[in-house]
Every structure is written in C-alpha cells, then in structure tokens.
Amino acid sequence: MIKKLIVFASIFVSITTWGQDNTASPYSYYGLGEVKFKGTQDTRSMGGLAITGDSIQLSLMNPASYSKLKLTTFAVGATNSSAKFSTDAEKEKAQRTSFDYLAIGLPLGKFGVAFGLMPYSAVGYKNESTIVDTDDTRYFKSQGNGYINKVFFGTSYAFNEKFSFGIDINYHFGDITNEFTERILEPNFSQYLTRERNITQLNGISYNLGMLYNTKINSKLTLHSSLTYSPESKLSTDNSRNIATVIYTTSGTELSSDDVNITVPNKNLIIPSKLSLGLGLGENKKWLIGSEITFTQNKNLVNRFSDNTNVSFENATRFALGGYYIPKYDSFSSYLERIVYRAGFKYENTGLILNNESIKDYGMNFGLGIPLGFSKVDLGFEFGKRGTTTNNLIEENYFNISIGLNLSAKWFERRKID
C-alpha cells in the first residue's frame, strides 16, 4: 500500500508541473476559456452520461457515486485532440495532448471519499490577419495560453442500496496570458511591433452537490436517476497589462523598449451555477441506455478584461444520450464478450454569442472498456463540430482519442495471519 501511495503522490506532483497548453480552440479566448469535460473516459464515451455509480470504477461527475465503491480505485486519463479550423477563406490544423484527470477513491463502509486534480478550463489559441486600409496595411496577431486547474475533495454517503448523496469541494487556481501584436507593412514597413500583454491570475472555491437513486422495476430491469447542482461561485483575479515596442532576433529572442506597465482593474470572475438531471434504464452488468440534460447559467459570465465588444453570453444547455453493452461480463471462453462497448451523442448550446451567432457544439462518441481483472483500460473516440463560418466566425471540426486507466484493489484489508 505504501508503494502505491508513493507512486500516486509522485504522479500527482509531476502532473501539477505539466504544461497546460491543452487546447487550440479560438473560442477559448472568451470567458473562463474552454471548459473541459469533468468526467472519466468511460462516461465521456457515452456522450457524458453519468447516471450510475460503480463498485470498482471511479466516476467524477456526480459525487454521490463515491459511496458505491467497494475497492480503492486510482484513475488517470489523457486525450489527444486533432482539430481543423475553417473560415470562408482559410483553413488550419492543430493538435494537442492534454491531461484530463488524476484521482483516487476510497470506500469507507456506507461512506466514500475521493480526491484529485483536473483542469477546469484552458486557453490556447493563435490568430493572424492582415488588414488593408486606405492609409496603410497592418499585420495583427493575437495569441493566448493558460489554464484554470482544480484540486477537489469529495465525500458521499449511501442511505441505502437505492439512494446516495455526495458533495465535492473544489479549489481553483491558474493563470492566463493574452498577447496582441501589431506591425505596419505598408507604405513604410516597420520591423518593430507594438505588443500588448495581459496576464490574469485566478483562484477561488466552488462546490458540487450530487444525488443518485435507483430502483428495481422487475427482476432484470433497473431504473436509474441522477441530479447534480453546482451553485454559482466566484474567482478572485489579479490583472496586469504591459505595452511595449518589441523586435525579435533571428533566434527568436524578444528585445523590448518603451516598456510600460498599465494598471487595469481586477474583477471577480464567475463560475456559473449548473444543474444536471439524468434518467436511464438498464440491466445490471449487461446494458444501460439513458439521457441527461444540463442547464448552466452562462448569462452571468464576464470576460477577464472589458475590451471585447462583439461578445455576449446566454444560458447554456447540454443534452447527452448514451449507454453501454456487455455481451457477457463473466465469460470464461471469450475475452471479447467481457469488453464494455459504449456509444453516445451530445449537443450543446455553449452560451457564447459572437457577432450575434450562438456557438454550438455537436459530438458523437464511441468507446471500449477493456477489463484487466478488477482494473480496466478505457478507450474513447469522439467526432465533433463547434462553431460556424457564418458572420466571419470559425468552424472547428475535432477528433479526440482518449485513454483512461482505472486501477482497483483492496488497500485497507486487515491481515488474517500474522
């Protein structure tokens, strides 16, 4: 057990120092950035459906699931994302590999606890353009990177076999940098660029409440239901702005002059309240189908700085439909029959409005749960589209490959023989 704890602590420390440039979406510039999926890879492969708890697999979307655990469980996941960005005139590609979660769950009788680290949101984009005016031609570039991570601790209590309740406490922290540069190309070319750099450091606490309820319909079928609610919370920020004239050497080194720091106001950024309701039907260890709808009060979101005039926010809605199928979970003759086959669909109105266009996100998911004794490797594949080319916006077509490792074992078992 001590060795496993040491390995876990080592991975936890190394993950916190991992570079967080884990998105390339131009839409990550706005609000809190691109909000990352909270769950493990098995729920992601079902379109984000998380309406049940598992005795040997950690679920992170609903804290009520922690009390369902029967074994100590360690979970870690990552995703490789490929995206194609299109406008009416241009196309571009990008690829990123991102850390998704690192968590451990402990069964304590009717109680269960879990703790870990995961990204809450990420910023990572780069846009370049040349604008021809009546007086001159100018080159513009905007780029940004950064993250908001969260460390969480949660606990759950099972009142009986049907009903459980849980709560997560999350501490958010991180920093985001946005940079804008401009250069005159014509009529008088300038090798110097004007650069504006905005830096935001953030921290704050949020909460997530969850309930799970299931009941037998007959000897085979079980009805599953879930509810999660996150009240609105606020992140404190420390904003700074630097404006300078810069030039880059052939090696890429930046040389600056006329360096000026400008005082900009700090503001509290909002993590909006969120309510999710789920319902499903299934046969234990055989199949499940269900749906979940999520309402997020994104209308209350604000940007880190007040310079954006083409952006506003509306309340967001997310719908997920998905499920799994296991041919025969205890088959001795066929390993393929023990594999969990998953599929799902998601639709989301993200709540972001640009140039009077609501930004929407569609996706299809497929996945496999590959058993390794009490442990499991989860593979997931996602095809999706975000945004539109209407009104000079960007359409993003993405393909994600996700992998999750779920290790389960009895850690706190008393020895019977000394």
Side-chain angles (χ1 to χ4, degrees):
M1 182 183 72
I2 297 299
K3 291 182 179 180
K4 292 180 180 179
L5 286 172
I6 293 174
V7 171
F8 173 77
S10 300
I11 296 176
F12 190 93
V13 171
S14 65
I15 288 294
T16 60
T17 60
W18 191 348
Q20 294 294 307
D21 186 16
N22 56 13
T23 182
S25 174
Y27 298 112
S28 67
Y29 169 72
Y30 303 97
L32 296 173
E34 179 186 349
V35 177
K36 311 299 284 186
F37 180 70
K38 181 187 176 182
T40 49
Q41 310 302 20
D42 57 316
T43 57
R44 186 172 186 169
S45 296
M46 296 186 291
L49 184 69
I51 60 174
T52 64
D54 195 287
S55 62
I56 61 173
Q57 185 146 337
L58 188 60
S59 177
L60 300 177
M61 294 187 70
N62 191 328
S65 65
Y66 305 153
S67 58
K68 301 291 185 180
L69 289 173
K70 301 302 181 184
L71 299 175
T72 298
T73 303
F74 169 75
V76 62
T79 297
N80 179 267
S81 301
S82 302
K84 296 180 180 179
F85 306 101
S86 304
T87 65
D88 289 332
E90 298 183 37
K91 294 184 178 182
E92 190 58 74
K93 296 180 180 180
Q95 189 169 0
R96 295 289 188 275
T97 297
S98 61
F99 154 70
D100 291 335
Y101 56 86
L102 177 69
I104 191 167
L106 303 173
L108 301 173
K110 287 191 173 184
F111 285 92
V113 298
F115 57 91
L117 170 72
M118 63 171 56
Y120 174 80
S121 66
V123 174
Y125 65 90
K126 183 178 180 181
N127 300 321
E128 300 181 59
S129 62
T130 301
I131 298 178
V132 180
D133 206 344
T134 54
D135 298 323
D136 55 32
T137 301
R138 293 173 180 260
Y139 164 79
F140 294 91
K141 181 173 74 171
S142 63
Q143 59 185 348
N145 62 81
Y147 61 92
I148 302 176
N149 276 335
K150 74 173 184 181
V151 175
F152 71 92
F153 174 84
T155 186
S156 171
Y157 179 74
F159 292 90
N160 50 50
E161 293 184 357
K162 295 182 177 181
F163 179 69
S164 61
F165 173 83
I167 181 172
D168 280 329
I169 302 174
N170 313 298
Y171 174 70
H172 303 262
F173 64 95
D175 59 79
I176 298 170
T177 300
N178 300 104
E179 188 172 290
F180 309 90
T181 55
E182 177 183 351
R183 168 188 284 162
I184 298 176
L185 300 179
E186 294 179 351
N188 298 312
F189 175 80
S190 173
Q191 62 179 329
Y192 293 96
L193 295 92
T194 301
R195 185 206 65 204
E196 176 186 316
R197 178 178 291 159
N198 298 315
I199 299 176
T200 300
Q201 296 179 318
L202 315 95
N203 66 82
I205 293 176
S206 69
Y207 305 91
N208 185 36
L209 308 173
M211 292 186 291
L212 288 175
Y213 178 79
N214 66 82
T215 184
K216 284 281 189 179
I217 296 177
N218 55 40
S219 60
K220 287 188 176 182
L221 297 181
T222 301
L223 180 69
H224 299 273
S225 61
S226 68
L227 183 149
T228 60
Y229 175 69
S230 302
E232 181 178 290
S233 55
K234 294 182 179 180
L235 301 179
S236 300
T237 66
D238 183 6
N239 291 330
S240 62
R241 175 173 292 169
N242 175 269
I243 296 179
T245 301
V246 300
I247 187 173
Y248 294 94
T249 65
T250 55
S251 62
T253 303
E254 179 185 286
L255 303 176
S256 63
S257 62
D258 301 326
D259 202 313
V260 178
N261 292 316
I262 298 177
T263 300
V264 290
N266 298 323
K267 63 172 66 174
N268 288 327
L269 297 183
I270 292 173
I271 295 180
S273 63
K274 180 186 294 187
L275 173 67
S276 295
L277 302 168
L279 190 67
L281 185 68
E283 181 180 344
N284 187 35
K285 299 180 181 179
K286 186 67 176 181
W287 60 269
L288 171 76
I289 186 168
S291 63
E292 191 167 19
I293 188 167
T294 302
F295 306 97
T296 308
Q297 297 296 309
N298 277 2
K299 191 174 183 179
N300 297 329
L301 280 176
V302 294
N303 280 304
R304 296 179 295 279
F305 298 90
S306 303
D307 302 343
N308 301 306
T309 58
N310 68 329
V311 59
S312 60
F313 299 96
E314 62 183 349
N315 291 335
T317 304
R318 187 184 193 276
F319 175 77
L321 175 67
Y324 69 78
Y325 174 71
I326 309 173
K328 190 177 182 181
Y329 81 96
D330 58 354
S331 174
F332 288 100
S333 59
S334 175
Y335 183 78
L336 294 179
E337 290 187 341
R338 301 203 305 271
I339 291 177
V340 185
Y341 299 89
R342 305 184 179 104
F345 167 79
K346 69 171 185 179
Y347 162 80
E348 182 176 6
N349 177 7
T350 65
L352 176 64
I353 303 175
L354 291 174
N355 298 343
N356 297 318
E357 287 285 337
S358 295
I359 305 303
K360 296 180 173 60
D361 190 346
Y362 308 82
M364 288 290 298
N365 301 82
F366 304 93
L368 301 172
I370 303 172
L372 302 172
F374 287 130
S375 301
K376 188 177 294 183
V377 174
D378 293 304
L379 296 177
F381 308 90
E382 182 177 26
F383 305 83
K385 185 183 80 168
R386 182 189 295 120
T388 176
T389 57
T390 306
N391 288 341
N392 298 317
L393 296 177
I394 298 174
E395 181 179 288
E396 178 182 345
N397 290 276
Y398 56 85
F399 173 59
N400 300 326
I401 301 176
S402 301
I403 183 169
L405 180 62
N406 200 91
L407 301 176
S408 299
K410 290 186 177 181
W411 281 19
F412 303 103
E413 189 176 42
R414 180 178 296 177
R415 290 186 180 182
K416 296 181 180 180
I417 301 176
D418 292 329

